[in-house]
Amino acid sequence: LNEQDQSVHYCEFLMTQFHLIQKRWWVLQALMLGLVSVFLSSIQNRDSVWRILGVIGVLFVVLIIPEFWKNKSCGCMQIEGTCLYSLRQIYTARMIWFGMVDMLILTCFCMTICGKSGLLAGELLVQFLFPMLVAACICFGTLCSTIPANEGTAILFCLLWNAVWCFIMLNEAVYKAITFPIWCALFGFFVVFLAGAVYKTIHDCNMFW
């Protein structure tokens, strides 16, 4: 009863999780997108811009992996499982912080790119947000699956996806065969898939052991 009376409020728990997250990965994400936004406006070849955006979108997601799944790589999930808050709540708090901070970074980047490079919202969706979204689906789908997989496996799959994406961008016939409505449909499909993977990560995190 005494422990229940002194239980930490969820807002305090969220702040505790924020302090536990190493901020260097957010700094690296922001620096990477900042450098790209500076140099992208000086590139005249639009195809090169698109390829760079696709690679950067995948790398942006890859930088999330080391910090987000460090409890698995460090073998401290059993310790977290004995805490006042459950693993599900710990993963939820981590999702909230990564979601908010990365959304802020991406919003600033997209607004800067649209202003400097003159890219349209549709081009940004296809060339940057779509490959980034697929990479996020690969990461969550790999790391929350029942098949034993580590961070290296997720990164490898992301790099393979990046190679496939570069092939699509370099192949003019394949790229033009996919119209904008199809891109939007694919984007919507992967949004739903990512939402399902995130839910599965939170719901099944106790089985990650």
Side-chain angles (χ1 to χ4, degrees):
L1 291 175
N2 187 32
E3 289 182 358
Q4 291 179 354
D5 292 338
Q6 297 178 357
S7 61
V8 179
H9 191 270
Y10 197 70
C11 291
E12 297 179 66
F13 169 70
L14 278 175
M15 291 307 301
T16 301
Q17 289 297 312
F18 176 78
H19 291 305
L20 289 175
I21 295 174
Q22 294 182 344
K23 314 305 183 297
R24 61 184 178 184
W25 301 109
W26 286 332
V27 173
L28 284 174
Q29 286 179 321
L31 283 176
M32 181 179 67
L33 295 186
L35 290 173
V36 170
S37 64
V38 169
F39 292 107
L40 213 58
S41 58
S42 61
I43 300 176
Q44 302 298 326
N45 190 339
R46 186 58 65 95
D47 292 337
S48 299
V49 172
W50 289 350
R51 284 193 288 273
I52 292 172
L53 286 176
V55 173
I56 291 300
V58 174
L59 291 179
F60 183 87
V61 175
V62 168
L63 287 175
I64 298 174
I65 296 175
E67 181 63 24
F68 196 89
W69 275 275
K70 67 179 180 180
N71 56 352
K72 290 180 65 178
S73 59
C74 296
C76 60
M77 294 190 69
Q78 292 183 353
I79 298 175
E80 290 180 339
T82 62
C83 298
L84 176 64
Y85 284 92
S86 65
L87 275 174
R88 185 175 301 175
Q89 291 168 314
I90 291 173
Y91 266 80
T92 303
R94 205 170 293 167
M95 294 275 191
I96 291 172
W97 284 118
F98 272 92
M100 289 194 301
V101 175
D102 283 345
M103 185 64 70
L104 176 62
I105 295 173
L106 288 172
T107 300
C108 294
F109 174 73
C110 291
M111 291 176 64
T112 303
I113 287 297
C114 288
K116 283 187 174 182
S117 302
L119 289 176
L120 301 176
E123 291 177 324
L124 202 60
L125 181 146
V126 172
Q127 308 299 337
F128 177 68
L129 295 179
F130 180 76
M132 185 187 68
L133 178 64
V134 176
C137 290
I138 291 172
C139 289
F140 281 94
T142 302
L143 295 172
C144 73
S145 65
T146 55
I147 302 173
N150 54 25
E151 295 87 345
T153 306
I155 293 173
L156 177 62
F157 285 154
C158 285
L159 294 178
L160 289 175
W161 156 243
N162 189 58
V164 171
W165 179 251
C166 287
F167 170 77
I168 295 174
M169 290 295 98
L170 291 171
N171 195 316
E172 192 73 17
V174 174
Y175 178 75
K176 288 187 175 180
I178 307 176
T179 60
F180 185 70
I182 296 178
W183 284 119
C184 291
L186 289 172
F187 190 86
F189 169 78
F190 283 108
V191 166
V192 174
F193 181 89
L194 180 61
V198 169
Y199 173 79
K200 190 174 184 297
T201 301
I202 296 173
H203 186 266
D204 297 342
C205 60
N206 289 313
M207 296 190 298
F208 289 168
W209 294 343

